[in-house]
Amino acid sequence: MTVRTRFAPSPTGYMHIGGMRTALFNWLWARKNGGQFILRIDDTDAGRNMDEALGPILDAFRWLGLDWDEGPEVGGDYGPYFQSERRSLHDAALKSLLDNGAAYRDFESPDDTKAQREDAEKNKTVYVSSRTSVGLSAEEVQAKIDADEAYVVRFLVPRGRKISIVDQVRGHVEWDSDLMVDPVIARGDGSPLYNFATVVDDGQLKITHVIRAEEHLSNTPIQVLLHEALGNDLPVFAHIPFVAAPGGKKKLSKRDIDKYRKSPAFQKLFQLGDDVLTRLGIDPTDNSLSPVMVAYYREVGFLPAGVLNALARLGWSLDDETENMSLETVQNAFTLDRVVKAAAGLDPDKLMSYQAYWMSELSADEKVAGCADFLSRAGLIPESPDAEMLTRVAAVVELAADRLRVFGDILSMDEFFVSSDQLVFDEKEFQKRVVKPAEAVDLLRDVRHILADVESFSAETLHDAVNGFVEGRELKFGQIAPALRLSITGKAKGADLFPTLEFLGRDECLARLDKAIGSAESQRV
RNA sequence: GGCCCCAUCGUCUAGUUAGGUCUAGGACACUGGAUUUUCAUUCCAGUAACGGGGGUUCAAAUCCCCCUGGGGUCACCA
């Protein structure tokens, strides 16, 4: 039997990071077993703006390198893959259920149903459907239809049944059919509801494994019954824990984004993301991009490998020690029985550590390509940089070394891409390191002479020259380095100092020093 | 509230199915130290957990029961 898994997103305009994890596990299970992974679009409220709504979802899959064997754009033998286009399948299934008495038209008014529900709640009894319409003869039903009486189609839940499944992650789970309400499976106009459409589609698509988040566990007994009534082979179910918000156990949700912004666990991520997004000209506070969405990580400059690694380790482990895993490694090792049962909070810190690892695994060329793209988009270098500019980027990437965790980090090294007149000093640090210390400006002047006179402007000779000066004056390096760094880069921290000087070159360094000295003097007076 | 699920360091987890090898392992985060005359990296060290109570057993993180706590879901949404 070929394993067939599916992910069935509704087109919402963005890809949720938790949904992505569910999709990943489905993909993994299919690939691990040499089966098929299917993308079905659950667009029941007919497709308006489908490009806008579906595009970001497919983009997320493409970015992470998760391919689908059947679905939008690629087709397949069991199509169509948009639920809205599968109506004839749903109609036929509905008719068969109605014909054999497994479902019935319920003419009870919604208000009556609601009142019964509330009554039951008040009396602390179990609410089950009244089934007042079940006893109606075919003629009576037809008469009501002819009289335009409103109705819905409900599935007639068999009484006295224990419905049990062997969930691949949870084990044996059981429900009592006597406690179940007859679910509405279609509206009066015949349009199917989720539980019904899903079962019809899963059956027709020959899905063998339904791997989904645990919030769907409570839908399972209805779906099992529907599969039975339709004569489908029952798929294997695996309910994986949902992805929780950092620090908590609640489902990660787009609506709570403002709360996350204040959460300490999210602090570092937001700081990084806000900075990068702002430099790219995207307003990070309007929440059009947030850490709940896959696209956020791409925009900030994460690697697919980093995100994938973090997602795979959220609720799954290979063994007691392996942390850094490629998609291929995970794919080969993936089993459902190693999926954890409890909800797992997304840990931005850990995500960042996976990311940093995969960034360090990248070749120099790959880093340069990624950084150049971000620099272009931030307007720091031309859109199509020439070879000379790319060499420059490569040199900065080398200077950045492991300070580069995400591609967006390169944007905070803007001092290497602007000239002295555009250079902005960190105001607070400038006060502290250059303006305040009494001797700073004089020392800077001395250093200027050294830089002007040194024979070859290389990191090594620069280091020796400055060092000689420091020793000759019986100073400490720390008395001069911070002021020098700030004058040259405008920042209090950054890449190694002397290589930075060498990279910028003598003229640029002197110009920056002059600017700093001038600025400090004017502020002192 | 009904139904269902879950419960090991702050976090992600190993260990639970086949009880002993667990004075509970790893990773992230955090703290301290070394290296780096910034920052980051790297290295070393440290803090830190079986929710509680009953059983069963020679032996329980592991099996059973109860409690507590957390969560999901209760639509003519998906």
Side-chain angles (χ1 to χ4, degrees):
Chain A
M1 182 185 68
T2 313
V3 167
R4 288 170 64 83
T5 65
R6 50 78 166 168
F7 182 67
S10 41
T12 53
Y14 74 101
M15 186 65 214
H16 190 281
I17 192 79
M20 200 74 239
R21 206 270 310 252
T22 303
L24 171 64
F25 281 19
N26 275 282
W27 183 92
L28 249 12
W29 187 243
R31 291 287 170 268
K32 155 88 178 185
N33 292 289
Q36 285 109 40
F37 173 63
I38 295 136
L39 218 46
R40 183 182 75 223
I41 310 305
D42 282 4
D43 59 336
T44 45
D45 13 82
R48 55 196 194 293
N49 278 334
M50 188 50 81
D51 287 346
E52 211 173 286
L54 183 59
I57 293 170
L58 299 185
D59 284 345
F61 275 84
R62 277 189 281 258
W63 180 58
L64 292 178
L66 302 181
D67 54 336
W68 56 99
D69 302 298
E70 296 171 26
E73 298 180 356
V74 302
D77 295 339
Y78 298 84
Y81 293 89
F82 287 82
Q83 201 164 56
S84 58
E85 296 169 14
R86 319 183 105 249
R87 182 62 186 275
S88 59
L89 260 10
H90 305 141
D91 287 347
L94 188 66
K95 184 172 187 308
S96 80
L97 253 32
L98 240 17
D99 287 350
N100 67 20
Y104 62 96
R105 291 182 178 80
D106 181 11
F107 294 94
E108 193 171 78
S109 79
D111 287 345
D112 283 354
T113 306
K114 196 176 163 210
Q116 289 169 32
R117 207 183 275 270
E118 283 165 0
D119 265 9
E121 200 167 315
K122 213 187 304 169
N123 301 326
K124 294 190 173 158
T125 57
V126 177
Y127 168 75
V128 286
S129 307
S130 68
R131 297 185 171 175
T132 47
S133 301
V134 173
L136 262 31
S137 69
E139 291 73 26
E140 288 171 309
V141 168
Q142 193 54 52
K144 281 175 181 289
I145 294 173
D146 292 342
D148 269 347
E149 277 195 42
Y151 67 91
V152 293
V153 180
R154 287 185 188 273
F155 177 70
L156 187 66
V157 173
R159 293 292 175 228
R161 280 268 321 264
K162 291 269 187 261
I163 302 145
S164 65
I165 59 165
V166 179
D167 190 285
Q168 293 301 288
V169 346
R170 264 146 239 284
H172 180 263
V173 185
E174 191 177 82
W175 296 267
D176 185 346
S177 77
D178 288 342
L179 268 22
M180 290 167 60
V181 175
D182 293 341
V184 175
I185 58 176
R187 301 181 183 92
D189 65 2
S191 59
L193 260 41
Y194 168 75
N195 271 133
F196 181 63
T198 292
V199 168
V200 172
D201 293 340
D202 284 349
Q204 192 268 341
L205 286 162
K206 298 271 180 279
I207 301 302
T208 59
H209 296 255
V210 172
I211 302 169
R212 51 169 33 161
E214 72 171 302
E215 66 242 44
H216 284 286
L217 194 52
S218 52
N219 285 324
T220 305
I222 297 169
Q223 296 189 4
V224 167
L225 255 17
L226 282 168
H227 270 119
E228 284 179 5
L230 256 15
N232 294 339
D233 290 334
L234 203 61
V236 172
F237 290 96
H239 288 92
I240 65 178
F242 53 79
V243 174
K249 288 283 177 240
K250 294 200 179 178
K251 239 193 324 182
L252 186 68
S253 164
K254 187 164 165 262
R255 270 170 317 185
D256 292 331
I257 192 65
D258 290 324
K259 215 161 64 190
Y260 303 152
R261 198 166 256 289
K262 292 175 199 136
S263 145
F266 257 132
Q267 223 40 245
K268 280 185 260 182
L269 215 212
F270 270 115
Q271 216 174 322
L272 172 68
D274 285 1
D275 190 47
V276 172
L277 260 21
T278 303
R279 286 172 190 273
L280 288 174
I282 300 169
D283 179 7
T285 56
D286 73 0
N287 294 341
S288 59
L289 272 176
S290 79
V292 174
M293 309 173 199
V294 176
Y296 179 86
Y297 300 94
R298 189 187 58 214
E299 290 306 306
V300 173
F302 278 77
L303 259 11
V307 173
L308 247 11
N309 200 154
L311 251 26
R313 279 290 285 102
L314 213 54
W316 181 84
S317 65
L318 192 156
D319 54 28
D320 61 342
E321 57 177 1
T322 310
E323 292 287 347
N324 299 127
M325 291 172 276
S326 67
L327 185 57
E328 194 190 358
T329 302
V330 178
Q331 179 188 320
N332 291 328
F334 189 77
T335 56
L336 255 13
D337 63 350
R338 286 200 65 85
V339 175
V340 159
K341 293 187 181 79
L346 177 71
D347 184 346
D349 285 335
K350 194 134 187 179
L351 166 62
M352 186 50 95
S353 109
Y354 290 122
Q355 164 61 27
Y357 170 78
W358 286 106
M359 183 59 87
S360 75
E361 288 288 291
L362 241 43
S363 72
D365 285 349
E366 288 170 314
K367 286 188 198 176
V368 170
C371 287
D373 178 43
F374 271 73
L375 288 166
S376 296
R377 287 201 282 146
L380 254 15
I381 68 172
E383 200 141 321
S384 329
D386 55 20
E388 193 186 336
M389 182 53 87
L390 285 177
T391 307
R392 190 177 177 83
V393 174
V396 175
V397 166
E398 201 182 320
L399 276 175
D402 35 36
R403 274 163 281 249
L404 188 74
R405 296 114 77 223
V406 299
F407 288 133
D409 279 326
I410 199 71
L411 303 184
S412 65
M413 300 184 76
D414 55 344
E415 67 266 26
F416 293 105
F417 298 98
V418 300
S419 57
S420 59
D421 50 315
Q422 294 169 280
L423 185 72
V424 179
F425 295 115
D426 181 318
E427 205 39 58
K428 223 173 119 191
E429 295 291 344
F430 191 74
Q431 290 294 328
K432 188 171 155 198
R433 323 228 108 121
V434 183
V435 180
K436 267 260 194 79
E439 75 288 9
V441 171
D442 290 336
L443 286 172
L444 246 22
R445 275 209 190 83
D446 293 332
V447 172
R448 191 197 185 284
H449 286 306
I450 298 170
L451 297 197
D453 297 344
V454 74
E455 211 164 302
S456 86
F457 208 78
S458 71
E460 201 181 334
T461 46
L462 251 12
H463 174 268
D464 291 345
V466 174
N467 226 15
F469 168 76
V470 165
E471 276 168 15
R473 289 282 201 90
E474 292 192 349
L475 293 166
K476 279 190 186 155
F477 197 81
Q479 287 172 268
I480 181 157
L484 180 57
R485 167 182 298 284
L486 209 69
S487 305
I488 297 296
T489 68
K491 302 185 175 78
K493 42 183 155 174
D496 293 336
L497 185 52
F498 294 106
T500 297
L501 296 178
E502 177 184 330
F503 173 87
L504 257 11
R506 195 190 309 259
D507 293 348
E508 184 64 28
C509 286
L510 294 182
R512 293 185 183 197
L513 270 176
D514 289 340
K515 180 179 176 178
I517 291 169
S519 170
E521 274 186 328
S522 70
Q523 291 186 56
R524 263 186 191 172
V525 177

